[in-house]
Amino acid sequence: MRPRRAGSDVLGYMRTIRTVYPARQRIYWIQDNLSANWTPDIRAYAQANKIELVPTPTYASYLNRIESHFRPIQEFVFNNTDYPDWDTAQRALARCITHRNGRDADRRIAALERKHRVAA
């Protein structure tokens, strides 16, 4: 978690994800039009490593499937809170993600995700 997102952060994450999949496999990287997502370094790395950058249409970030996960995070981690620092907020977010991905699926989280899922 960072207060701002820079191109170097996105590139570092992209490098991490690239290591998870075989080099021969093409990755379709769907992202919004934030300028930090489209730096020359990111474009060059994507082209050299079989990653196709796919932009969501302007004002249509809801088409990105990851967007449906943000509402439950907002609801269960950040609404009505006043974390004293970023580390505390990061721990709360990690607990929420661990809970969400645990074997006992929380129906409230799933319901919020379904409600905000637009793209199939």
Side-chain angles (χ1 to χ4, degrees):
M1 279 183 56
R2 293 174 176 83
R4 281 181 227 112
R5 186 170 59 176
S8 58
D9 300 325
V10 176
L11 183 57
Y13 182 62
M14 188 179 286
R15 285 184 171 136
T16 301
I17 296 300
R18 176 73 268 182
T19 63
V20 174
Y21 297 96
R24 69 183 183 285
Q25 184 177 0
R26 176 167 294 283
I27 295 175
Y28 294 91
W29 191 273
I30 301 170
Q31 59 188 7
D32 60 19
N33 293 307
L34 181 68
S35 61
N37 294 338
W38 298 94
T39 65
D41 291 341
I42 290 172
R43 290 173 189 255
Y45 181 81
Q47 186 174 15
N49 291 280
K50 293 186 85 172
I51 299 174
E52 185 170 334
L53 301 176
V54 181
T56 56
T58 305
Y59 301 111
S61 61
Y62 59 86
L63 292 174
N64 186 343
R65 292 198 56 174
I66 196 70
E67 295 288 331
S68 67
H69 300 284
F70 293 148
R71 179 69 176 126
I73 288 171
Q74 179 69 37
E75 180 75 23
F76 298 117
V77 178
F78 294 110
N79 280 357
N80 301 316
T81 61
D82 187 19
Y83 296 114
D85 54 34
W86 281 100
D87 291 335
T88 308
Q90 187 172 356
R91 284 192 299 275
L93 179 59
R95 281 193 310 271
C96 179
I97 291 171
T98 300
H99 177 73
R100 188 244 180 256
N101 293 336
R103 65 189 164 116
D104 297 325
D106 190 326
R107 283 186 239 147
R108 297 172 302 162
I109 293 173
L112 278 172
E113 287 174 352
R114 268 193 313 279
K115 182 179 178 183
H116 288 51
R117 188 176 300 139
V118 175

